[in-house]
């Protein structure tokens, strides 16, 4: 579906509106021996499939950034205490991470709002505080939340790109 607006939603619809595809995904998510990570478009896709993922019913959807533009740069995040198997023993870690998205702002369609979605990652400012302030929070997400996990921690979704900053030379800036 490419890196176009709504790509994750289009990808999800190809599952949701295909009887066989929907059944396969539902079966996969229900198994106790599986896990998954959705990043950026994959995050959007999984968020649209939240009704198929046990314990993910309150995940947000991801909509247009408050800045109304594509945001691409290095920001800081904090790993929050959560059940995520991918963030086990990392709570409190503060990490630089790349963002590259036009639709990363959280929108909570459920009645519980932000408090009902189990966040595992949030944007922080230069003092380490959770933030909704631009540019520290590049999309305007409530409480800086940018990553979520389902209740048993097997499925995690993130809007930022951790795969883009695993080598020192990949950072746009690094202290000397």
């Amino acid at each position: 579906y490419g890196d176009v607006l709504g790509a994750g939603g289009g990808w999800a619809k190809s599952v949701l509106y295909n009887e066989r595809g929907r059944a396969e995904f539902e079966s996969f998510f229900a198994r106790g021996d599986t896990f998954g990570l959705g990043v950026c478009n994959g995050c959007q896709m999984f968020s649209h499939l939240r009704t198929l993922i046990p314990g993910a019913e309150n995940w947000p959807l991801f909509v247009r950034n408050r800045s109304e533009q594509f945001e691409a740069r290095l920001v800081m995040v904090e790993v929050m205490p959560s059940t995520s198997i991918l963030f086990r023993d990392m709570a409190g870690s503060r990490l630089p991470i790349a963002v590259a998205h036009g639709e990363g702002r959280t929108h909570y369609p459920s009645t519980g709002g932000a408090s009902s979605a189990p966040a595992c990652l949030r944007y922080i400012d230069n003092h380490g505080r959770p933030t909704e302030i631009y540019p520290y929070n590049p999309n305007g997400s409530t409480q800086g939340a940018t990553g979520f996990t389902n209740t048993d921690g097997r499925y995690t979704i993130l809007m930022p790109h951790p795969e883009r900053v695993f080598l020192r030379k990949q950072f746009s800036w690094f202290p000397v």
Side-chain angles (χ1 to χ4, degrees):
Y1 290 90
D3 201 11
V4 297
L5 295 177
W11 191 8
K13 285 177 179 75
S14 70
V15 172
L16 293 171
Y17 299 130
N18 176 302
E19 192 175 318
R20 181 175 174 210
R22 183 184 183 105
E24 290 288 330
F25 272 79
E26 217 162 11
S27 173
F28 178 82
F29 292 138
R31 289 176 31 198
D33 63 344
T34 62
F35 70 95
L37 171 65
V39 174
C40 200
N41 286 348
C43 172
Q44 292 175 343
M45 181 236 197
F46 272 27
S47 75
H48 282 276
L49 298 179
R50 68 191 176 285
T51 58
L52 305 182
I53 303 170
E57 299 82 13
N58 294 318
W59 279 357
L61 295 174
F62 293 85
V63 298
R64 191 91 173 124
N65 296 339
R66 194 165 307 285
S67 67
E68 293 291 324
Q69 61 187 1
F70 184 85
E71 299 289 345
R73 68 174 157 287
L74 197 66
V75 296
M76 290 295 292
V77 295
E78 179 181 33
V79 178
M80 301 169 65
S82 74
T83 58
S84 175
I85 63 171
L86 299 174
F87 288 126
R88 185 169 290 145
D89 299 325
M90 290 182 65
S93 297
R94 295 176 177 171
L95 309 164
I97 196 166
V99 294
H101 58 260
E103 296 174 317
R105 183 170 49 93
T106 53
H107 168 71
Y108 300 90
S110 69
T111 57
S115 62
S116 65
C120 60
L121 194 70
R122 64 183 169 196
Y123 295 115
I124 57 173
D125 65 16
N126 60 330
H127 298 288
R129 297 179 299 229
T131 186
E132 295 180 14
I133 306 298
Y134 183 86
Y136 305 110
N137 178 333
N139 50 47
S141 289
T142 304
Q143 300 169 355
T146 189
F148 300 85
T149 191
N150 70 325
T151 52
D152 70 9
R154 293 183 303 118
Y155 294 95
T156 301
I157 57 174
L158 311 172
M159 188 45 59
H161 289 271
E163 79 283 4
R164 293 187 182 183
V165 286
F166 63 93
L167 298 173
R168 183 177 176 168
K169 65 184 175 184
Q170 290 174 297
F171 287 84
S172 60
W173 176 87
F174 197 85
V176 189

